[in-house]
Amino acid sequence: MIKVHHLNQSRSQRVLWALEELSLPYQIERYQRDKTMMAPAALRKVHPLGKSPVLEDNGLILAESGAILEYLQETYDPTSQLKPQDREMKLHYRFWLHYAEGSLMPLLLMKLVFSSLGKPPIPFGLRSLGKVLGQGVQKAYLNRQLETHARFLESWLKDHRWFAGDNLSMADVQMSFPVFALLERGGIADLPYLQTWMKNVEMRPAWQRAIQQGGPFEIPGKS
């Protein structure tokens, strides 16, 4: 049986959602973040990077959300329920699978880091300086970049119900974590199409079952 090494409030929620959409049986090995919100050392026994998600199936140990989602689709989705068949949409599907972690998540991670420079565990005497530095980087660079990406996503979803066309696909599953993080951390107003997309995700029975299985889903470090 498939086993998911699942860290609370993490990208591994996407894998649970994909498994529920495909109606696949699976087991969950649960891990909790430590006080610093980092993954516990026990995950290094599963994969050298000590990150989640990690999926075990038929002797394989797979890491990286995008790779796991592609594996699940190619292995357990013979009717292409979660992959478009239209040639143009296949190209968009591939783009969003890579864009999620290659372009959007690095900015959101930087936002989290620079928002935290005035807080513990930064030494008390450096917090004021850290706060000023963090706010300066966000104002000069990060906020502008995130605004650009948010408007790009809005423009796409204005004309498409899902990221790869009229039907849900693994592209939406992959995009779920960064979009939720953008809406929580980005501080960007007037994103009605992203909000609608998120509501459509949350209304799906498979998403709701994944939340029941994985536990409450919140973005770490949300503003």
Side-chain angles (χ1 to χ4, degrees):
M1 179 180 287
I2 293 172
K3 178 186 287 188
V4 181
H5 294 269
H6 172 65
L7 178 65
N8 67 308
Q9 300 178 18
S10 77
R11 291 165 168 85
S12 59
Q13 183 64 35
R14 293 184 289 201
V15 176
L16 302 184
W17 180 22
L19 289 165
E20 292 291 346
E21 290 286 352
L22 292 170
S23 300
L24 293 173
Y26 60 94
Q27 297 175 340
I28 299 178
E29 188 77 21
R30 301 178 188 275
Y31 303 83
Q32 295 292 316
R33 294 180 182 274
D34 61 25
K35 293 181 179 180
T36 67
M37 295 304 292
M38 299 296 289
L43 269 169
R44 293 197 188 95
K45 298 178 181 179
V46 183
H47 190 277
L49 293 179
K51 302 293 184 181
S52 177
V54 175
L55 182 140
E56 292 187 55
D57 185 36
N58 292 323
L60 298 174
I61 297 179
L62 304 172
E64 289 294 338
S65 297
I68 291 171
L69 296 182
E70 286 195 276
Y71 168 79
L72 291 174
Q73 192 283 318
E74 292 171 359
T75 307
Y76 295 108
D77 185 18
T79 61
S80 292
Q81 170 189 340
L82 294 178
K83 183 177 181 179
Q85 294 305 294
D86 176 79
R87 182 176 181 275
E88 180 180 355
M89 283 302 155
K90 280 184 179 180
L91 295 176
H92 293 299
Y93 171 86
R94 183 176 293 118
F95 170 79
W96 294 115
L97 280 173
H98 290 273
Y99 167 87
E101 294 292 333
S103 293
L104 186 53
M105 271 311 300
L107 293 171
L108 292 164
L109 180 58
M110 291 173 66
K111 177 81 171 176
L112 175 62
V113 170
F114 282 102
S115 296
S116 303
L117 289 182
K119 306 173 184 177
I122 300 298
F124 180 80
L126 298 176
R127 288 178 197 170
S128 295
L129 177 61
K131 182 177 180 180
V132 172
L133 174 62
Q135 290 176 341
V137 171
Q138 291 179 75
K139 183 177 181 180
Y141 175 72
L142 284 176
N143 292 346
R144 296 178 185 179
Q145 287 291 312
L146 286 171
E147 178 81 23
T148 296
H149 283 262
R151 299 307 162 198
F152 170 60
L153 296 174
E154 275 288 288
S155 177
W156 178 259
L157 290 174
K158 180 180 179 181
D159 298 319
H160 303 85
R161 178 176 172 82
W162 300 103
F163 276 103
D166 296 331
N167 299 308
L168 180 90
S169 73
M170 285 297 189
D172 298 283
V173 179
Q174 177 75 335
M175 284 293 294
S176 61
F177 191 89
V179 169
F180 277 57
L182 177 65
L183 292 172
E184 289 283 5
R185 293 184 199 155
I188 301 169
D190 190 27
L191 299 173
Y193 296 104
L194 279 169
Q195 292 283 357
T196 296
W197 177 90
M198 183 175 72
K199 290 177 182 177
N200 288 336
V201 168
E202 293 176 328
M203 289 172 59
R204 294 189 69 83
W207 171 268
Q208 296 168 13
R209 292 195 301 271
I211 295 295
Q212 292 173 355
Q213 293 296 323
F217 179 66
E218 295 182 358
I219 299 297
K222 67 179 181 179
S223 57

